[in-house]
Amino acid sequence: MKIIKAKDYEEMSNIAARIISAQILMKPDCVLGLATGSSPIGVYKRLIEEYKENALDFKKVKTVNLDEYEGLSGDNVQSYRYFMNTNLFDHVNIDKKNTMVPNGISSVELECGSYEERIEKLGGIDLQLLGIGRNGHIGFNEPDEYFAARTHVVNLTESTIEANARLFESKDEVPKRALTMGIGTIMKAKKIVLIASGEDKAKAVKDAVCGPVTPHCPASALQLHRDVVIVADAEALKLMP
Ligand code: F6R
């Protein structure tokens, strides 16, 4: 694992965006695995700026998102499809037909199987961008007794529902289930970039990097991947030895 220390959120975002632009420049038809949440917003802003400066072309890029809430359609403002459209896709020259987010209103079990197959058909993920939950989750892979191999439906933990409630009118409105790539799906990506900002991520980052590899901290599986870069700010790295 390589760790890049950034001074703050902005620097973290700029560094991660540069890694993603390098990927697009090297392979213009690459498959990017993308995340939602507060962590990648700055990365997407920077990528949009680079596109507007004519430094980046998304014409042939394909994307696959990590996860989606069950029961939310793409035009629901809380859905991850909506998030991706408004925070990135609507502002660059990507063909929306080349962007995949799990469908939260389909028959979700079937959708999980087909999502996995569609990723394989694309030839796998070249670069996967990840955030990390305060409990060490990646995607919606919550701490558990085992690592889930494939895209699946999960029950969200109380801590994740609470963390995500800030984006809803009330905690009761946060969906209780979600579709997510499995740890196995994520681990098949050729390169992984995990971003983390803020003190509330410090324990999760330390457990993921220095703790045992255990499904109780899903991000710890990344220790077994051969090409992971963690870009984190000083606050998120403050518990690192
Ligand atoms: C989002 C996702 C989640 C988030 C994590 C951190 O697609 O997969 O694992 O990356 O919950 O969320 P933020 O960035 O909001 O702190």
Side-chain angles (χ1 to χ4, degrees):
M1 267 184 182
K2 183 169 178 196
I3 301 181
I4 301 179
K5 186 171 178 174
K7 141 166 129 261
D8 53 18
Y9 180 85
E10 194 183 348
E11 193 175 72
M12 173 199 81
S13 305
N14 291 344
I15 294 169
R18 278 166 67 193
I19 298 173
I20 296 173
S21 353
Q23 171 68 63
I24 298 174
L25 289 174
M26 301 239 291
K27 189 177 175 192
D29 60 346
C30 63
V31 178
L32 297 178
L34 298 177
T36 58
S38 311
S39 309
I41 289 178
V43 177
Y44 298 150
K45 274 202 179 120
R46 186 64 208 125
L47 289 175
I48 293 166
E49 279 164 16
E50 284 193 37
Y51 164 72
K52 292 194 169 149
E53 289 156 9
N54 291 324
L56 214 48
D57 186 0
F58 287 83
K59 198 168 59 214
K60 296 187 191 153
V61 172
K62 292 164 215 127
T63 66
V64 288
N65 260 77
L66 281 165
D67 42 18
E68 179 60 284
Y69 288 117
E70 181 186 32
L72 300 192
S73 64
D75 52 8
N76 185 310
V77 294
Q78 309 291 0
S79 73
Y80 286 174
R81 161 54 76 181
Y82 189 90
F83 175 100
M84 288 312 304
N85 287 348
T86 50
N87 284 289
L88 180 64
F89 302 152
D90 286 344
H91 309 284
V92 296
N93 66 334
I94 199 160
D95 182 345
K96 288 245 182 79
K97 287 204 287 295
N98 289 336
T99 67
M100 273 170 38
V101 180
N103 183 346
I105 52 164
S106 57
S107 156
V108 287
E109 268 81 17
L110 284 180
E111 169 68 6
C112 288
S114 115
Y115 202 67
E116 197 73 30
E117 278 167 25
R118 281 182 282 155
I119 294 173
E120 272 161 35
K121 255 197 205 137
L122 289 175
I125 299 166
D126 291 298
L127 184 155
Q128 176 66 55
L129 178 66
L130 295 175
I132 183 168
R134 289 183 293 193
N135 61 5
H137 74 222
I138 47 177
F140 270 133
N141 292 278
E142 301 282 25
D144 207 335
E145 296 305 316
Y146 61 91
F147 288 118
R150 294 166 65 85
T151 303
H152 60 293
V153 182
V154 281
N155 295 314
L156 302 183
T157 61
E158 207 42 40
S159 109
T160 298
I161 292 172
E162 259 163 41
N164 291 2
R166 69 188 195 281
L167 306 166
F168 289 79
E169 294 266 305
S170 75
K171 193 176 137 189
D172 293 340
E173 282 186 24
V174 184
K176 306 290 175 283
R177 300 211 309 166
L179 297 81
T180 180
M181 284 184 196
I183 295 293
T185 326
I186 294 169
M187 291 291 281
K188 277 193 267 174
K190 293 176 192 97
K191 182 176 193 70
I192 295 177
V193 178
L194 183 143
I195 50 175
S197 169
E199 196 180 357
D200 61 336
K201 299 293 173 70
K203 182 162 186 319
V205 171
K206 179 178 169 236
D207 290 349
V209 178
C210 309
V213 174
T214 163
H216 295 292
C217 175
S220 65
L222 301 177
Q223 291 177 33
L224 304 178
H225 192 281
R226 61 189 177 139
D227 190 357
V228 176
V229 183
I230 297 183
V231 187
D233 65 13
E235 291 281 290
L237 290 175
K238 83 190 235 188
L239 295 179
M240 289 292 287

